[in-house]
Amino acid sequence: MRTRLFATAALAATSLFFSATAQRPGSETTNVFTPEMKFFDRPDPRIAEYEQAQRGGTPVRQIGAVELSPDGKKLAWLVAAEPTAAGGGRNGRGRSGMQLHISEALAPNPTEPAITAGEGCSSSAPRWSPDGQTLAFVATCADGQPQLWLRSTDGAVKQLTHIKGTLTSPAWAPDGSSIAFLYVENATRSAGALAAMKPPAGIVGQDGVEIQWVAAADAHTGNLSILTPKTLHAYEYDWAPDAKHIAFVASNPPGENTWWIAQMYTAPAGQPDAAKSILNPVTVGGSLHGLQIAVPRYSPDGKNIAFIGGLMSDQGSTGGDVYLMGADGNGLQNLTPGRKDTPVYLGWADPDHILFSAYQSGKTHLGILGTNKTEVLQLWTAQQSVASGRAAASFSFSTTAKIAAFVSAGPEQAPEVYIGTTHGANAVTHLNTNATKPATKTLSLEWDNEGYHVQGWLTLPENYDAAKKYPMIVSVHGGPSAQAGPSFGGAGAGLYAHLGYFYFTANPRGSFGQGEAFVQANRKDFGYGDLRDILKGVDTVEKQYSVDDHRLGLTGWSYGGFMSMFAITQTHRFRAAVAGAGISNWQSYYGENSIDQWMVPFFGASVYDAPEAYAKSSAINFIKNVETPLLILVGDRDGECPAPQSYEMWHALKALGKKTELVVYPNEGHGFSNPLHSQDRTARTIAWFEDNMK
C-alpha cells in the first residue's frame, strides 16, 4: 500500500485535534480546517551530530535522470550542481539543485554549461527527438507550473507548451511531429494517492474528480490535442512505431481507485473516441486473471505489445512477469512463467528480443529475453540499483547503438552513470569516487523459511564490536508488493547505526525479488507468513551477530505500518514499535477509503463477500494481546491509509490502558512534503525507541 485514496471519513479523526477560524474577504468569520501542531521539544542531540557529520564529509553528487540519444552518442542527464559558496548564484540549477547537461555518452562530464529554462527554473524528464536534433524537457519555474521546453542543436531554448495542470511522462511521437505526455487539466494536486488529498466536499466520487489524459503538443506550434477519451483516466502509454496509434493503460475515474482493474486500450492518434479495449485483466483467463498491467511497449515492427503483468500493490511499484500479445490483443502469452526473480521494466531490442530489468534476491538483473520465452543473454547482475528517472528499475536504450544507460548505486557504491552492452555494464562517470563512504556496513542476508527463500538487509552499528550487545530496529517495507533494494549507505539506516543500533529490513513473502509465486504467497494471509519470514530473519541475524534480543524495535510505513500494528498482537518479542500510516482494521478500512479495488486481488473478494478474510488480519481483533508500547504517526490527509485507522488503533490501546501515543501531521498525505514534519517524525521515532528499549 503505497497508493491508497481517502474518502469522507479521512478527516474525521483529525477534526478532533485541530480547528481554527479564518476570515474570507467579504464574508463573516467562518470555521475552517486550519491545523497547527506542536513540534517535538526534546530531539536527541545525536541526530544533529549525525547530520553535521554527513555535511562535514565529501557529499555525494546525485544523478537524477539519464537519456541516450537515438544514435547512442549523446547523453542528456540531470546531475546535482557543485556546492556553491554562501551567497553564490544558482548557475542554472533551479530549485531542485539539479542541472541538465548534454555530454558524450561514454564520457559524461557535468562541466558543460547547464541547459535551463531560466533563473530559478528546475528541469526534469529530458527526451530526445527521433532524429536526435532536439532535446525536450520539462521545466518548472516560479509559477510552479510545469511546461515542455525544447533545446535545439544550436543551443537555443524555447517554451513549447502553455498549459495549466500537471505534465508528466513526455514521449516524442516516432515521426517527430509531436510530444505526448500525461496531463490533468487545471489540476489542484499531483495525480495518484501519494500527495495530500483534497478535503472532501460535495458529492463524493463525482465532484472535483480530476482525470488524467494522454495529450500531445505539436512539436512546432505547441498546439494541444487529447489522444485518449476524456472519460478514461490514463496511467501509462506508448506510441506505435508508425506514430498513428497509441497503446495506453486506463480505467474509469476516479483514477486513484481503479488502477487495479485498468485495461489496455489502443486508439488512433487524433481519434480518442475510437479507442478500444484490447485486454481486460479482470475477465481474461490464465495467469494474468485478476492481476495488474503496466509498462506497455510496442515492438519495433508494431505487430506486438509487451508489458509487465502481476500482483502489484500500487501504480509505480511495478513487478510481475513479462507478457506478450498481438497489437490487436490476440495471442496473449506469459514469456517468463516460473522465473525466480521479478521483471520490472522493459524495452524492445529488436522485433524478436526484449531488454528487461528484474529484481533478483537483493540484486538487479539486466537481460535479453526472446519472444520464444528464452533468455538469450544475461547482461549484468549486481547488488546495485538501476534507474533512469522514468520508472522503477528503468533504463534508457539506444536500438541503433545497442547500448543502455542507467544510474546505479549499491550499499558501498555511490551513484554513477553506467553504460550496458552485450559485454556487461560499467561506470562511465566517476563523480563520487571520493565521496565519503558510509560509516558502517550494510550486508545482504538470505535464509529459508517454510519452503520459501527470503532475502534482507542488515546495517551494522558504527564501530561494531562483536563482544558487545546492541539493540536492533526491524523495519518492514511498504507494499506488500515491493522490495527493500540496494542503496548507498543502506537507505535511512545510517542514523540508527550512528545511534548504536542494528537496522534490519527483510523482503518476506509478498515482496518482489523471488518470482511471482512468492509475491502472491501472502494473499489472504496478511501478517502471518510474512511475519514468520521476518522473525526467522531476526533469528538468522542473531545467530551471526551480537544482537540483544531483549531490545528489538519494530517500525514501518504503509504496509509496514500495518505490520507494526498487527505484529505486536501476535508476538511480544518487540520492546517498542512505531507504526507510520498503518491499518488497524481491514473491515472498517474497506469502507473508509475510496480505493477499495486494490483489496480484492489480495483478499480474494470484497469485505462484504468475505468479511472473515479481512477480520483475520485486523489488529483490532487481537488488541488485548498487545503489551508493546506503540507510537502511531499519520498525515491528516493521507489518501492511502486514512487517519481514522491510526485513531482506531490508538483509541483501543488507550481504552485498554496500554502505552501508546498518536501524532497527526496537518496537511500531509501518504508521503510527507513539509521537511519540518519529516524531522519531527524522525525525532519522535528515535525518542520512542530510546525511551522504551533501555
Side-chain angles (χ1 to χ4, degrees):
M1 281 149 317
R2 209 179 42 80
T3 38
R4 307 282 179 260
L5 180 58
F6 105 99
T8 55
L11 298 179
T14 54
S15 64
L16 298 175
F17 296 93
F18 307 117
S19 64
T21 60
Q23 182 77 34
R24 289 189 309 221
S27 69
E28 299 296 325
T29 300
T30 307
N31 287 329
V32 297
F33 189 77
T34 310
E36 296 180 359
M37 69 170 291
K38 179 181 179 182
F39 288 101
F40 191 64
D41 59 2
R42 52 183 186 90
D44 193 313
R46 293 176 297 171
I47 299 175
E49 174 189 279
Y50 173 76
E51 293 173 347
Q52 181 62 37
Q54 296 297 103
R55 289 191 293 268
T58 303
V60 172
R61 293 187 67 182
Q62 299 297 334
I63 305 168
V66 292
E67 191 76 6
L68 281 170
S69 61
D71 62 7
K73 295 180 180 179
K74 297 289 186 180
L75 184 80
W77 58 315
L78 288 163
V79 61
E82 292 281 3
T84 56
R90 288 182 178 272
N91 297 322
R93 283 184 295 160
R95 288 167 295 173
S96 68
M98 305 292 282
Q99 291 182 337
L100 175 60
H101 296 278
I102 295 176
S103 300
E104 296 296 324
L106 297 180
N109 187 340
T111 61
E112 302 92 342
I115 299 165
T116 177
E119 179 72 16
C121 297
S122 61
S123 302
S124 63
R127 301 288 188 267
W128 290 100
S129 61
D131 62 7
Q133 298 301 301
T134 305
L135 181 70
F137 63 97
V138 177
T140 305
C141 300
D143 61 358
Q145 172 60 56
Q147 302 286 358
L148 275 175
W149 290 67
L150 301 179
R151 191 265 191 189
S152 58
T153 52
D154 63 5
V157 177
K158 69 173 184 178
Q159 184 175 342
L160 180 65
T161 61
H162 296 82
I163 66 167
K164 185 177 180 182
T166 58
L167 189 166
T168 57
S169 305
W172 284 85
D175 63 3
S177 63
S178 63
I179 306 170
F181 53 90
L182 295 174
Y183 173 51
V184 179
E185 187 177 32
N186 297 318
T188 62
R189 56 181 298 278
S190 300
L194 277 179
M197 296 295 153
K198 295 188 295 185
I203 302 176
V204 174
Q206 297 182 31
D207 296 343
V209 175
E210 299 181 358
I211 304 176
Q212 183 167 260
W213 309 315
V214 180
D218 185 282
H220 300 289
T221 66
N223 291 338
L224 203 66
S225 59
I226 305 301
L227 302 183
T228 55
K230 291 189 175 182
T231 56
L232 290 177
H233 187 105
Y235 305 97
E236 296 178 279
Y237 70 96
D238 191 42
W239 285 99
D242 62 5
K244 295 180 179 179
H245 293 81
I246 64 167
F248 60 101
V249 177
S251 64
N252 292 320
E256 293 90 346
N257 187 29
T258 50
W259 178 78
W260 294 271
I261 54 173
Q263 302 176 40
M264 185 89 73
Y265 293 82
T266 58
Q271 300 180 53
D273 292 336
K276 64 178 181 179
S277 173
I278 62 171
L279 176 65
N280 185 349
V282 175
T283 59
V284 74
S287 60
L288 188 62
H289 176 69
L291 302 182
Q292 290 74 52
I293 54 178
V295 198
R297 295 291 183 266
Y298 273 102
S299 60
D301 58 12
K303 295 180 180 179
N304 296 300
I305 298 174
F307 61 93
I308 301 294
L311 185 67
M312 308 177 211
S313 305
D314 309 285
Q315 184 198 357
S317 184
T318 300
D321 283 311
V322 179
Y323 284 82
L324 180 71
M325 64 182 177
D328 59 0
N330 291 320
L332 178 67
Q333 56 179 315
N334 185 348
L335 298 183
T336 57
R339 279 189 72 98
K340 297 302 181 183
D341 59 13
T342 303
V344 180
Y345 189 81
L346 58 84
W348 287 85
D350 60 48
D352 298 314
H353 298 93
I354 298 168
L355 176 62
F356 72 101
S357 62
Y359 297 141
Q360 193 176 88
S361 195
K363 304 179 179 68
T364 307
H365 172 70
L366 294 177
I368 295 180
L369 177 70
T371 55
N372 62 356
K373 302 186 179 182
T374 300
E375 184 171 355
V376 299
L377 196 60
Q378 297 184 18
L379 299 176
W380 186 70
T381 304
Q383 201 175 89
Q384 295 180 213
S385 60
V386 166
S388 73
R390 284 178 174 262
S394 63
F395 47 80
S396 176
F397 183 66
S398 166
T399 55
T400 300
K402 302 297 183 186
I403 62 172
F406 54 92
V407 182
S408 184
E412 296 185 359
Q413 290 78 37
E416 300 289 359
V417 177
Y418 282 66
I419 294 293
T421 69
T422 55
H423 301 293
N426 294 287
V428 292
T429 60
H430 304 283
L431 299 179
N432 292 309
T433 301
N434 297 319
T436 302
K437 299 295 183 182
T440 185
K441 292 185 69 67
T442 296
L443 311 167
S444 176
L445 299 179
E446 300 186 35
W447 61 96
D448 294 312
N449 186 48
E450 301 175 358
Y452 294 100
H453 187 71
V454 190
Q455 183 270 340
W457 302 96
L458 178 69
T459 299
L460 307 184
E462 283 186 14
N463 305 312
Y464 172 62
D465 181 352
K468 299 180 180 179
K469 288 284 189 179
Y470 298 84
M472 183 166 73
I473 302 300
V474 178
S475 176
V476 184
H477 68 68
S481 301
Q483 70 147 11
S487 61
F488 184 60
L495 174 58
Y496 285 97
H498 179 73
L499 297 175
Y501 291 88
F502 285 97
Y503 190 86
F504 176 61
T505 302
N507 286 310
R509 67 190 77 173
S511 305
F512 292 152
Q514 307 286 351
E516 184 62 15
F518 187 80
V519 176
Q520 297 190 29
N522 72 342
R523 296 176 95 169
K524 304 182 185 180
D525 193 50
F526 282 2
Y528 291 95
D530 43 8
L531 176 59
R532 293 195 299 273
D533 288 346
I534 292 169
L535 293 177
K536 182 64 178 291
V538 172
D539 294 338
T540 300
V541 172
E542 292 184 354
K543 289 178 181 178
Q544 301 180 45
Y545 296 93
S546 185
V547 177
D548 185 348
D549 187 63
H550 298 290
R551 290 191 292 161
L552 297 179
L554 178 66
T555 190
W557 195 265
S558 195
Y559 189 83
F562 151 69
M563 286 291 287
S564 297
M565 291 178 174
F566 187 75
I568 60 175
T569 71
Q570 305 298 305
T571 178
H572 296 156
R573 193 163 179 182
F574 298 102
R575 288 288 299 274
V578 179
I583 293 175
S584 61
N585 185 343
W586 291 105
Q587 291 174 281
S588 61
Y589 172 81
Y590 197 102
E592 288 171 354
N593 71 71
S594 296
I595 54 164
D596 50 23
Q597 295 296 336
W598 83 267
M599 304 174 76
V600 174
F602 286 93
F603 286 91
S606 77
V607 71
Y608 314 116
D609 294 320
E612 67 284 351
Y614 293 80
K616 170 187 173 183
S617 294
S618 293
I620 207 73
N621 292 330
F622 307 95
I623 198 69
K624 290 188 176 181
N625 295 337
V626 176
E627 298 295 338
T628 305
L630 178 65
L631 171 65
I632 305 169
L633 310 170
V634 70
D636 69 336
R637 291 162 60 187
D638 189 332
E640 299 192 6
C641 301
Q645 285 297 305
S646 292
Y647 181 80
E648 188 170 350
M649 186 75 177
W650 171 82
H651 186 278
L653 292 175
K654 288 292 289 185
L656 293 172
K658 309 296 183 180
K659 185 173 183 180
T660 186
E661 188 172 282
L662 170 64
V663 183
V664 181
Y665 290 87
N667 298 318
E668 293 288 10
H670 200 60
F672 280 18
S673 60
N674 187 332
L676 294 178
H677 291 164
S678 297
Q679 293 169 13
D680 185 82
R681 180 175 60 183
T682 298
R684 291 179 189 273
T685 299
I686 294 298
W688 191 262
F689 286 132
E690 287 287 294
D691 291 346
N692 291 288
M693 290 172 55
K694 293 180 179 178

